[in-house]
Each structure stands twice: as C-alpha cells, then as structure tokens.
Amino acid sequence: MDWVFLFFGGVLMIIGIIGSIVPVLPGPPLSFIGLFMLQFKTEPAFTWKFIIIWGIITLIVTLLDYLFPSIGTKKYGGSRWGIIGCFVGFIVGLFFGIPGIILGPFVGALLGEVLGGKDIQQALRPALGSFLGFLVGTVLKLVASLIMAFYFFGNMF
C-alpha cells in the first residue's frame, strides 16, 4: 500500500514543480499535498510539526505570489491607480490563460497609471515593477516546491 502513496506523492511533486513555473497550476499546494502523502505510509516520514510548518510556508508563498505584482508596482513608483489596475489585470488575466496571467498585471498596472493621469513613459516603470513582482513570485514558488521535493524524495523509503 505504501507504493500508492509514494507514486501519487511523486506525481504531485513533479506537477507541483511544473506548476511553480506554469501559472495555471498551483505549484506549492500540489507539492505540499505530495509531501503530505508520505504521512500515510506505514512509517510516517515526517513529524506533524514539520508538516504544519510546511503547510504554513505553502500558504504564505501562495499568498505572496498573488501580492508580489502589486508590491512590485508600488515599489517602482506606482500610485493607487496602478496597484488597483495591477490587481484587476490579474483577475481579468485569469480568463485568458497563461498569457493573461503573465501579462494581465502588467497591462492592468499600465492602464491604471494612465487612467490616474500619468503618461505612457511614467506608467511603464510601475508596470515593469508588476512584471518583476510576478517573476519574484514565480522564483519563490519554484524554490519552495524544489525544497519540498528534496524532502519528499529524500524520505521516500
């Protein structure tokens, strides 16, 4: 029976790593579920404290991933208009798949800044900040998923 948990946990780990890069898949939560699967083996692989800590890390990383584009917009001089535009662009981008998720916050921040009274040149900097925020979130997700995979594959047997 242990092999079932190992197999499905391993599959979730691989999908979680891919999901850290592909915006449509929730990478770290899938990796966490894969890590959690090792608890159902005959001999649990981790302490419950370890699992709870990684659950909290997964939640924080997932939330930060959604916040980083807005944080990047603000950090690069974005106004309230740009931050709202970034958030709206993210939500609208969800309906356009991977390109929408990547470009939505950028376009939203750009349009928000323009609507707020900035010209295109001034609006590009906060929009770039939203894109950089997206990249930082992606790297953070990838690192978290890779660390969970390291623990998973190191404790399979």
Side-chain angles (χ1 to χ4, degrees):
M1 189 64 172
D2 283 355
W3 67 271
V4 172
F5 298 117
L6 292 172
F7 174 76
F8 285 111
V11 168
L12 285 170
M13 278 294 154
I14 293 167
I15 294 172
I17 291 169
I18 293 168
S20 295
I21 299 167
V22 177
V24 177
L25 297 172
L30 291 174
S31 293
F32 176 72
I33 294 168
L35 192 68
F36 189 71
M37 298 283 284
L38 288 184
Q39 291 303 99
F40 296 105
K41 290 185 351 183
T42 306
E43 295 282 328
F46 308 108
T47 66
W48 283 106
K49 181 179 176 181
F50 178 87
I51 293 296
I52 290 169
I53 288 170
W54 271 102
I56 292 168
I57 290 170
T58 300
L59 179 64
I60 291 169
V61 165
T62 302
L63 290 175
L64 285 175
D65 181 50
Y66 292 116
L67 293 175
F68 274 148
S70 292
I71 292 169
T73 300
K74 179 78 171 159
K75 183 82 173 159
Y76 279 78
S79 66
R80 181 180 172 101
W81 283 91
I83 294 168
I84 292 169
C86 180
F87 180 74
V88 171
F90 172 74
I91 299 299
V92 171
L94 290 174
F95 297 103
F96 294 96
I98 294 171
I101 293 170
I102 294 170
L103 295 175
F106 175 84
V107 172
L110 183 68
L111 291 176
E113 292 295 337
V114 169
L115 289 174
K118 292 184 179 177
D119 64 29
I120 292 288
Q121 284 291 21
Q122 294 171 320
L124 275 174
R125 183 171 164 84
L128 178 62
S130 75
F131 182 70
L132 292 175
F134 167 78
L135 291 178
V136 169
T138 300
V139 168
L140 185 63
K141 290 188 308 185
L142 182 60
V143 167
S145 289
L146 287 171
I147 292 171
M148 284 188 268
F150 172 79
Y151 280 116
F152 178 89
F153 292 111
N155 289 286
M156 282 178 64
F157 303 104

